[in-house]
């Protein structure tokens, strides 16, 4: 049985052609599934009964199951999504006055093992399928009541949940295409963001195949420190990453890259680090999003004091860089940035609680 949620518009059109059906049937079903949140073929009322019967015999619309739904005091909502075989991922909806943002996961766990990330400390099991990625948006729309085609409760999507999106490139891009498709979710490229730790070849592919807004998890101003905090830097060092960012902007829907920078006390938050950042990004149109570190059990790091974060941001702003500090949301339900953990049957056999020793620096 074919799960139709695994197919983007082109894939769905090809599948319908194999069934002897015309392309407009694929568009009809796409709208029913994604715009209206319908999983029952019998409810697709403008489709002939003979086709509905054929679909019931050959296909399903099977999103992943929501196993828990937690609401934070600040309105943030965290969904735990069962993706089978003992694995579950987390999806977070963040409501704000002028937008609603859904943070989506792309892998069960993460293989990149960033030192300050709860997800990375769980190890890695597998990539999520297209249905499991887009199914998070499908389920969130239903839970939030936006299943009648015109509501836009979720206006923005960020692929900043569990996993490295560009390490699951093909499935991530297929899900992106559904998010952008006017027959599905109809989101603007400017309102869909992929966050990466810096997989340079995949950044170049994304630029050519499906450019959306790009965020880069930077977290350090030099290779020595970033090698420890973000180990993928050992393969794709900062010089290569900055060059990829400049190339990406040639086709990006926004005219800047967002650099995410988690602020950890005594590790990467000194005035000297801020000045190093200014030198690093001088040729890359960008903005910085400073993220106060969100603690999780077993972590050796501490959150930078508010005054230190303020001073760090002030140096960047004085250097001409637009800089914001992310407001911590959902930390009472462990839904804040870096806290997503879910449940992962680790295939990497990563040592529980193991951390890379990192030398502290002084302001």
């Amino acid at each position: 049985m074919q799960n139709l949620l695994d197919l983007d518009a082109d894939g769905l059109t090809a599948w319908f052609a194999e069934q002897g059906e015309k392309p407009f049937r694929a568009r009809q079903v796409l709208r029913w599934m994604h715009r209206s949140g319908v999983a029952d073929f019998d409810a697709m009322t403008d489709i002939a009964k003979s086709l509905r019967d054929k679909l019931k015999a050959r296909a399903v619309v099977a999103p992943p199951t929501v196993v828990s739904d937690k609401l934070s005091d600040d309105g943030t909502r965290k969904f735990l999504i069962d993706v089978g075989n003992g694995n579950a991922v987390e999806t977070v909806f963040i409501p704000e006055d002028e937008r609603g943002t859904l943070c989506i996961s792309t892998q069960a766990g993460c293989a990149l093992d960033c030192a300050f990330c709860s997800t990375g400390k769980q190890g890695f099991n597998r990539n999520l399928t297209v249905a499991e990625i887009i199914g998070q948006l499908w389920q969130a729309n239903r839970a939030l009541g936006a299943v009648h085609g015109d509501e836009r409760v979720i206006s923005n999507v960020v692929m900043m949940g569990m996993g490295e999106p560009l390490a699951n490139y093909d499935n991530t891009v297929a899900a992106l295409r559904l998010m952008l498709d006017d027959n599905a979710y109809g989101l603007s490229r400017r309102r869909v963001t992929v966050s990466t730790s810096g997989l340079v070849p995949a950044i170049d592919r994304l630029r050519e195949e499906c450019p959306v807004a790009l965020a880069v998890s930077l977290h350090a101003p030099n290779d020595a420190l970033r090698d420890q905090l973000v180990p993928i830097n050992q393969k794709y060092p900062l010089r290569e990453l900055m060059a990829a960012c400049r190339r990406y902007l040639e086709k990006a829907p926004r005219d800047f890259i967002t650099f995410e920078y988690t602020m950890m006390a005594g590790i990467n938050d000194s005035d000297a680090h801020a000045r190093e950042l200014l030198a690093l990004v001088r040729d890359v149109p960008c903005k910085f999003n400073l993220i106060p570190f969100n603690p999780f059990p077993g972590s050796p790091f501490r959150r930078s004091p508010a005054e230190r974060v303020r001073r760090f941001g002030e140096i960047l702003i004085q250097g001409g860089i637009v800089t914001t500090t992310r407001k911590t949301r959902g930390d009472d339900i462990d839904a804040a940035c870096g806290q997503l953990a879910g449940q992962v049957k680790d295939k990497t056999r990563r040592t529980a609680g193991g951390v890379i020793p990192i030398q502290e620096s002084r302001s």
Side-chain angles (χ1 to χ4, degrees), residues 135-148:
Q136 296 169 64
L137 179 53
W138 193 95
Q139 288 285 24
N141 264 333
R142 284 176 64 90
L144 296 166
V147 291
H148 303 297

Side-chain angles (χ1 to χ4, degrees), residues 87-256:
N87 295 296
V89 300
E90 293 182 331
T91 306
V92 178
F93 175 66
I94 305 165
E96 297 177 273
D97 290 341
E98 297 182 356
R99 63 185 176 183
T101 300
L102 190 70
C103 181
I104 284 179
S105 297
T106 55
Q107 296 179 309
C110 186
L112 297 190
D113 196 20
C114 294
F116 50 87
C117 179
S118 177
T119 301
K121 293 307 164 191
Q122 283 200 107
F124 173 74
N125 186 271
R126 65 173 177 83
N127 289 329
L128 299 188
T129 66
V130 179
E132 290 164 344
I133 298 171
I134 203 66
Q136 296 169 64
L137 179 53
W138 193 95
Q139 288 285 24
N141 264 333
R142 284 176 64 90
L144 296 166
V147 291
H148 303 297
D150 295 323
E151 302 96 330
R152 184 57 65 79
V153 177
I154 297 170
S155 61
N156 294 61
V157 171
V158 293
M159 289 191 167
M160 296 181 183
M162 297 174 67
E164 163 59 59
L166 296 186
N168 184 13
Y169 183 88
D170 290 339
N171 292 340
T172 291
V173 168
L176 287 173
R177 287 177 173 145
L178 285 169
M179 294 174 197
L180 301 174
D181 195 307
D182 286 340
N183 288 310
Y185 299 96
L187 295 171
S188 162
R189 290 181 186 272
R190 294 172 57 86
R191 291 179 174 268
V192 177
T193 301
V194 168
S195 176
T196 178
S197 295
L199 278 65
V200 167
I203 292 173
D204 286 334
R205 282 189 67 190
L206 189 68
R207 180 194 70 215
E208 296 301 323
E209 297 175 11
C210 191
V212 293
L214 186 69
V216 173
S217 296
L218 193 59
H219 310 302
N222 58 65
D223 284 322
L225 180 55
R226 196 166 191 267
D227 283 351
Q228 298 179 71
L229 293 175
V230 186
I232 195 66
N233 193 74
Q234 297 167 33
K235 187 171 185 179
Y236 304 113
L238 286 170
R239 184 178 66 178
E240 294 182 25
L241 179 56
M242 294 301 110
C245 288
R246 289 192 294 272
R247 291 192 296 271
Y248 193 85
L249 286 171
E250 296 169 5
K251 296 189 177 180
R254 291 181 178 270
D255 58 2
F256 60 87

Side-chain angles (χ1 to χ4, degrees), residues 96 99 258-263 287-294 303-317 321-329 337:
E96 297 177 273
R99 63 185 176 183
T258 297
F259 288 120
E260 299 164 313
Y261 196 92
T262 299
M263 300 287 292
K287 63 174 285 188
F288 268 85
N289 189 9
L290 305 182
I291 307 168
F293 173 69
N294 291 306
R303 179 179 296 183
S304 298
E307 177 57 26
R308 179 94 295 269
V309 176
R310 187 201 64 77
R311 171 60 183 158
F312 194 95
E314 188 177 73
I315 292 171
L316 296 179
I317 291 169
I321 304 294
V322 173
T323 304
T324 58
T325 299
R326 181 177 296 175
K327 181 181 178 182
T328 298
R329 299 288 300 269
C337 184

Side-chain angles (χ1 to χ4, degrees), residues 221 271-284 288 312 314-321 323:
D271 289 2
H273 288 135
R275 288 190 287 269
E276 273 191 280
L277 283 177
L278 289 174
L280 176 69
V281 304
R282 64 182 179 274
D283 296 327
V284 182
F288 268 85
F312 194 95
E314 188 177 73
I315 292 171
L316 296 179
I317 291 169
Q318 289 172 350
I321 304 294
T323 304

